[in-house]
Amino acid sequence: MNLNELADRYVAVWNERDSEKRKRQVAELWIPQGEHYVESRRVVGHDALELRIIESHNEFVRDAGNRFRAVPGARREGNVVAFYWEMLPANADTVLGKGLEFVVVSDAGKIVQDYQFYPA
């Protein structure tokens, strides 16, 4: 598994504007009962993950005009992959925010659990 590629694919789903493509990306990244944790929120399953991503996308990408990108240097210990991501204006490189992602992956490389820490 290419760790930086996984991080790039993860971040791409949060930037995706096309709903059908986003739905495919969620299915390609997470197992069917994949879990996402952010603050005190727990999201389980593809449909719930897609709704969570749409909410974030609408707030930070669509409405605020930002984009997300993965920071190179993803690392793996056992079945846990950790990487940072950044939020930037759509047409600039000024970092507006940074998050830390811990994802537990299956043997097939799909996300089983996803823990998001923002700000990192």
Side-chain angles (χ1 to χ4, degrees):
M1 172 188 327
N2 181 312
L3 303 180
N4 288 318
E5 180 182 305
L6 174 65
D8 288 340
R9 289 175 47 227
Y10 179 91
V11 170
V13 75
W14 300 83
N15 289 320
E16 185 55 55
R17 295 181 183 276
D18 181 272
S19 61
E20 289 302 313
K21 189 172 181 182
R22 182 174 41 242
K23 183 181 225 77
R24 283 192 308 274
Q25 290 172 323
V26 167
E28 291 168 358
L29 280 168
W30 279 272
I31 65 168
Q33 288 302 308
E35 302 172 16
H36 171 77
Y37 297 87
V38 59
E39 297 174 346
S40 62
R41 188 170 177 188
R42 177 180 183 242
V43 177
V44 180
H46 287 171
D47 291 342
L49 285 161
E50 188 177 356
L51 288 175
R52 159 72 176 116
I53 291 166
I54 288 168
E55 290 171 1
S56 178
H57 173 87
N58 289 349
E59 180 179 354
F60 297 107
V61 178
R62 185 192 71 189
D63 297 345
N66 297 311
R67 64 188 167 96
F68 297 102
R69 72 177 176 197
V71 176
R75 295 177 298 189
R76 181 177 186 168
E77 290 294 334
N79 63 344
V80 176
V81 178
F83 59 90
Y84 289 97
W85 51 264
E86 298 170 327
M87 183 176 68
L88 309 93
N91 297 315
D93 286 328
T94 304
V95 175
L96 303 173
K98 188 173 186 176
L100 173 62
E101 218 66 36
F102 284 98
V103 296
V104 178
V105 294
S106 69
D107 290 340
K110 287 196 170 195
I111 298 170
V112 176
Q113 293 174 315
D114 165 16
Y115 298 89
Q116 188 174 89
F117 298 90
Y118 177 80

